[in-house]
Amino acid sequence: MGIEVRNIKKVFNKKTVLRDINFELEAGKIYGLLGRNGAGKSTLLSIIANRIFSDSGEVLLDGESVFENDNALGNMYLMSERNLYPEGMKIEAIFKNTELLYGAFDLGYAQELADKFGLDTSQKFGKLSTGYRSIFKLIIALAVPAKYIFLDEPILGLDANHRELFYRELVDNYVKTQKTFLISTHLIEEITNILEHVFIIDQGEIVVDGDVEAILDKAYLIAGPKEDVDNYCQGLNIIGQENLGSIHGNYIYGSLDDKRILPDTVSIERMDLQKLFVNLTNISVKGGASK
Amino acid sequence: MGIEVRNIKKVFNKKTVLRDINFELEAGKIYGLLGRNGAGKSTLLSIIANRIFSDSGEVLLDGESVFENDNALGNMYLMSERNLYPEGMKIEAIFKNTELLYGAFDLGYAQELADKFGLDTSQKFGKLSTGYRSIFKLIIALAVPAKYIFLDEPILGLDANHRELFYRELVDNYVKTQKTFLISTHLIEEITNILEHVFIIDQGEIVVDGDVEAILDKAYLIAGPKEDVDNYCQGLNIIGQENLGSIHGNYIYGSLDDKRILPDTVSIERMDLQKLFVNLTNISVKGGASK
C-alpha cells in the first residue's frame, strides 16, 4: 500500500528537470521533499498528482497507475504555489465549491481552521495577502478527503505564530486521520521534528532518501585547528567546510570510523537537517526561472 | 542624523491600521521591524518611504520632512513585496533602467550578486519564481545608492542556501557602506544575530522598541511543576504559558526580582527573539486581508 514513483523523467525546453526519479511513500507517514529553488520539486509533485505528465516512468497508487485513474486521483491532493482560484470569488464560496467537488470535504473543520488562523471567509481570494493565500490553500488541503496530501511551500509568507499553529494542526490532523503527507518547504529547521522521512532532490536527482533520525546519525561537524581536523577527516565524506577565526570546521556526511583517534584539540558535533541540506546542495545554483 | 517617525496614523476603509507610531532610526544601524501578518508593517514602510501618505504625523530625514523632498527621497529605497516591474522586461534591462534612474546604481555589484545567487539576467521578470523575484529585488536594494534601505519580506521564497548567502551579503554591504537597514521579516530566528535594534508592531502600535541584547536580557522561560512555577512568577509579567507533559512553563518579559528564591524544582532559561515575538503577539490575529 502506498505510492511508488518509478523512473520519472521530465524535460522542459530541452532542459532535463527530472532524471530517473524513484522512491516510495508508505501510507500513514509524513515525508519531506527538500530541494533548492529550481531543483525540480514542484515539477515532481505535479507529476505525482497527475497535474502534468512525465516524459517517461510512472506513478503507482496501491499498485495501479495514477494515469487516467479517477480513483487514484480522488485519493491525492496537491496544494501548489499556483493560485488557481478566481480573484473575485469569496473564500466561503470556494469552500462550498470544494465541498460540491469532493463530497466529503469537511466544511466544519475548514471553518474551524479559518477561525483559528483568523481568516475572514467573507473576503475575496484576490484581496488576501501572500500569507493568507497560503493559509487558505492549507485549510483546503487539510479538509479534503484525499489520503495523500502534497504540500508545496505551504508556509510561504506565514508569520511565526501562524507557522507554529500550522505545525500543530498538521500533526493533529495526521494523528487523527493517519493520512500521508509529502511536504516541500524551504524552512527546514522548523519542520525537522515533524518529518519522519526525507527526500533531498538536487539537480533533478534524489540524492538523499532516508529516515530523518538515520540521516542525522550520519551528519557531523568536526571542528578544531585546521591541520588536526584535516588529519582526522582523511578518507571521510567531507561535504562542506567553514571557518570561524582560527577554528576550522569540516562537515561530514557518513559514518565516522570508530578506530580513529580524536585529538584533544578536535570536537565532534551534530549537524542539523538544514545545515546538512545546505552543505549537500551548495554547489548547484540554478538559472533563475522555475515558474 | 537619521530618520524620525512622528505620530504616524493611518486609516484604511475605516480600519485604523497604524495608531500614533513613533520611533527613530539612527544612521548606520541594522533594524528589524517585526509584526504579524496584517500588523501594519508594509503600510508603515510605505509611509516612511513616501510611497503612500499618512493621515497625520510626519517622517523627518535629518530633521527635514520627507514629504515632497527630492533629496530625502533619493536617500531612501523600499524593497516591497509588490512586483512593480513589467513582466516581459529582462532583468538586465531593469538593472540598466535603474542605473539611468539612480545615477550611482552599482551595476557591477548588481551583476556580481546576480552571479552569486545564480540569477540569469537574460531572463524576463515575469518568468522568475517567487524566490528569484525576491533575489532580483534584493539585488537592486543592495546596489542602489540610497543611504536608508527598507526591506519588506526580503527572503520570501528563498531556499536555505540563498538565505545564508543573503545574510552574509547584507552584513558585508553594511560593513562596507555603513548604510541604515530596516528589515521586516517573518523568519525572526534566522535574522536575530544580524539585528542591532528591534521594533515589534502589533495591531498598529509599537509594543517593543529596543536593542536586541537588552530585549533578550528580559526574556525568560520559567519551567517546572505548575504550582512552584506559578508561585515563583507571582507579580512578574507573564506573556505566555506552555505545557510539556507535567512540566509547566511561564514565559516572562521583564526583569526578574533578585530577591525571589528559586525552588530546586524550577529552572530559568532564556527565550529567543522569535519565541518572545510569538508570545507577545499571540492574542491578536487579524482579519485575512492585508494586500
Side-chain angles (χ1 to χ4, degrees), chain B residues 7-24:
Chain B
N7 307 113
I8 291 293
K9 195 181 163 190
K10 182 73 184 177
V11 177
F12 273 130
N13 299 327
K14 293 182 187 165
K15 194 190 154 207
T16 301
V17 179
L18 299 173
R19 64 186 85 220
D20 202 26
I21 299 282
N22 290 277
F23 62 78
E24 287 177 26

Side-chain angles (χ1 to χ4, degrees), chain B residues 33 41-49 78 150-152 182 184:
Chain B
L33 176 64
K41 301 182 301 295
S42 300
T43 304
L44 180 55
L45 290 175
S46 297
I47 287 172
I48 299 175
L78 169 61
F150 311 126
L151 305 175
D152 193 6
L182 177 58
S184 172

Side-chain angles (χ1 to χ4, degrees), chain A residues 139-157:
Chain A
I139 291 175
I140 294 204
L142 290 176
V144 291
K147 285 181 194 160
Y148 293 87
I149 310 290
F150 311 125
L151 305 175
D152 194 7
E153 279 301 325
I155 46 184
L156 188 75

